[in-house]
């Protein structure tokens, strides 16, 4: 094993592949992390961080397990049946199933957020919140499988060196682990960001379905759209924060003017009594 790893340290192409793959794995991990963050935020507060770590840990285990059976994994792209001239592999079926699950989950969460006449179950916060950590972890596992297969097949397409794939996966999952709590807390504190994140998940689900049916949407377009939307939302947040500061300043100024007017009035009344 070491005999195959040591020569890679002196190969510039291997370093370039490693850096590129790490960036790709981190970007692909964002989808996984957004889903984990939104789902964990529906748990009681004392369980959230633990479930996030479990979810990301499972993502790491699945990725490393898939790397250990990489020959079998590559075989998933072989067609298993054809419908109306379109061939479907196990990878396609997994992507379609995962995309449908993601679309269903994101649509359900958006419906709860925007429904003007929610049902009693929606009004009851206890019913909306997932009280069973096991149910949350089960849903995370389903998407972990889909994202892990997509991630590893991307890695296989970029390099043939297994050590490079392992290092890239370890680095990407470490970044996910470090970013999990800050991202989840940020999403939880900003309701408009929650809707934006759900929109991302809905788009990612549709892309997975399209990919499963053979319509490949370049990932660069997807992440460029996500980055643009996030930038617009950041400007909206800055605008709201600036407006809030102005309102507070105007309110404080009005209260000061009222206090000054009361003081002047009191002085005038005191002068009349004298």
């Amino acid at each position: 094993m070491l005999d195959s790893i040591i020569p890679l340290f002196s190969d510039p192409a291997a370093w370039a592949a490693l850096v590129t793959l790490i960036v790709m794995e981190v970007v692909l991990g964002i989808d996984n992390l957004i889903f984990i963050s939104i789902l964990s935020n529906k748990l009681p507060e004392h369980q959230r961080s633990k479930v996030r770590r479990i979810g990301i840990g499972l993502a790491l285990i699945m990725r490393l397990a898939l790397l250990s059976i990489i020959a079998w994994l590559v075989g998933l792209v072989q067609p298993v049946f054809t419908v109306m001239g379109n061939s479907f592999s196990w990878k396609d079926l997994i992507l379609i199933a995962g995309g449908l699950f993601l679309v269903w989950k994101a649509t359900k969460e958006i419906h709860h957020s925007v429904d003007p006449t929610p049902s009693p179950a929606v009004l009851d916060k206890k019913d909306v919140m997932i009280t069973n950590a096991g149910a949350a972890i089960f849903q995370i596992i389903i998407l972990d499988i889909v994202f892990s297969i997509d991630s590893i097949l991307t890695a296989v397409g970029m390099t043939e060196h297994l050590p490079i794939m392992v290092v890239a996966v370890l680095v990407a999952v470490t970044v996910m682990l470090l970013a999990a709590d800050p991202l989840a807390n940020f999403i939880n504190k900003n309701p408009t960001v929650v809707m934006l994140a759900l929109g991302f998940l809905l788009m990612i689900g549709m892309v997975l379905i399209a990919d499963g049916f053979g319509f490949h949407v370049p990932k660069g377009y997807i992440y460029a759209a996500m980055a643009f939307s996030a930038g617009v939302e950041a400007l909206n947040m800055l605008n709201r924060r600036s407006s809030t500061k102005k309102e507070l300043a105007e309110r404080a100024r009005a209260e000061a003017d009222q206090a000054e007017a009361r003081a002047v009035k009191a002085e005038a009344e005191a002068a009349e009594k004298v």
Side-chain angles (χ1 to χ4, degrees):
M1 182 69 175
L2 288 175
D3 293 339
S4 62
I5 294 175
I6 293 175
L8 294 177
F9 287 109
S10 60
D11 185 359
W15 283 101
L18 176 61
V19 172
T20 305
L21 191 53
I22 287 174
V23 173
M24 284 297 299
E25 291 295 322
V26 169
V27 171
L28 290 172
I30 292 173
D31 307 341
N32 208 167
L33 192 55
I34 289 174
F35 180 80
I36 291 173
S37 297
I38 291 177
L39 200 60
S40 63
N41 282 343
K42 296 175 71 64
L43 289 164
E45 191 169 353
H46 68 279
Q47 293 183 340
R48 294 175 184 175
S49 183
K50 179 182 178 182
V51 168
R52 285 179 210 126
R53 288 184 173 83
I54 292 174
I56 295 171
L58 289 171
L60 173 61
I61 292 171
M62 288 179 190
R63 282 161 168 78
L64 294 178
L66 289 172
L67 283 173
S68 69
I69 52 173
I70 200 164
W72 173 83
L73 182 65
V74 172
L76 289 179
V77 300
Q78 300 301 320
V80 291
F81 64 88
T82 302
V83 177
M84 299 179 65
N86 294 320
S87 299
F88 292 90
S89 65
W90 283 112
K91 177 201 171 187
D92 295 330
L93 298 178
I94 291 170
L95 290 179
I96 292 170
L100 288 172
F101 175 77
L102 208 52
V103 168
W104 169 77
K105 189 66 180 176
T107 303
K108 182 179 177 183
E109 295 298 329
I110 291 173
H111 174 73
H112 283 322
S113 300
V114 303
D115 188 3
T117 55
S119 64
V122 176
L123 285 172
D124 188 354
K125 204 165 184 179
K126 291 182 180 178
D127 288 339
V128 176
M129 179 176 286
I130 301 173
T131 55
N132 185 356
I137 292 172
F138 177 74
Q139 294 182 52
I140 289 172
I141 288 174
I142 294 175
L143 263 296
D144 274 348
I145 293 171
V146 176
F147 287 128
S148 294
I149 290 175
D150 193 26
S151 169
I152 299 306
L153 287 176
T154 299
V156 171
M158 294 183 66
T159 181
E160 59 183 13
H161 300 295
L162 185 59
I164 290 178
M165 297 182 203
V166 172
V167 172
V169 166
L170 290 173
V171 172
V173 173
T174 301
V175 172
M176 288 173 61
L177 192 59
L178 294 174
D181 286 345
L183 177 63
N185 292 334
F186 178 76
I187 289 176
N188 192 45
K189 291 177 182 177
N190 296 276
T192 55
V193 174
V194 174
M195 188 59 67
L196 181 65
L198 289 171
F200 287 164
L201 292 180
L202 192 60
M203 179 175 65
I204 293 164
M206 293 300 297
V207 169
L208 289 176
I209 294 171
D211 203 10
F213 278 100
F215 300 97
H216 302 291
V217 181
K219 293 287 177 65
Y221 294 156
I222 302 302
Y223 292 113
M226 290 173 66
F228 178 78
S229 301
V232 172
E233 180 59 26
L235 292 175
N236 284 332
M237 291 174 64
L238 289 173
N239 181 50
R240 287 193 296 269
R241 189 175 301 175
S242 177
S243 299
T244 301
K245 287 182 179 179
K246 288 180 181 178
E247 289 177 4
L248 291 174
E250 290 175 359
R251 188 180 305 170
R253 192 178 301 114
E255 291 175 354
D257 291 341
Q258 291 175 2
E260 184 178 355
R262 286 194 297 267
V264 170
K265 183 178 179 181
E267 287 179 2
E269 291 176 352
E272 288 177 0
K273 290 179 181 179
V274 173

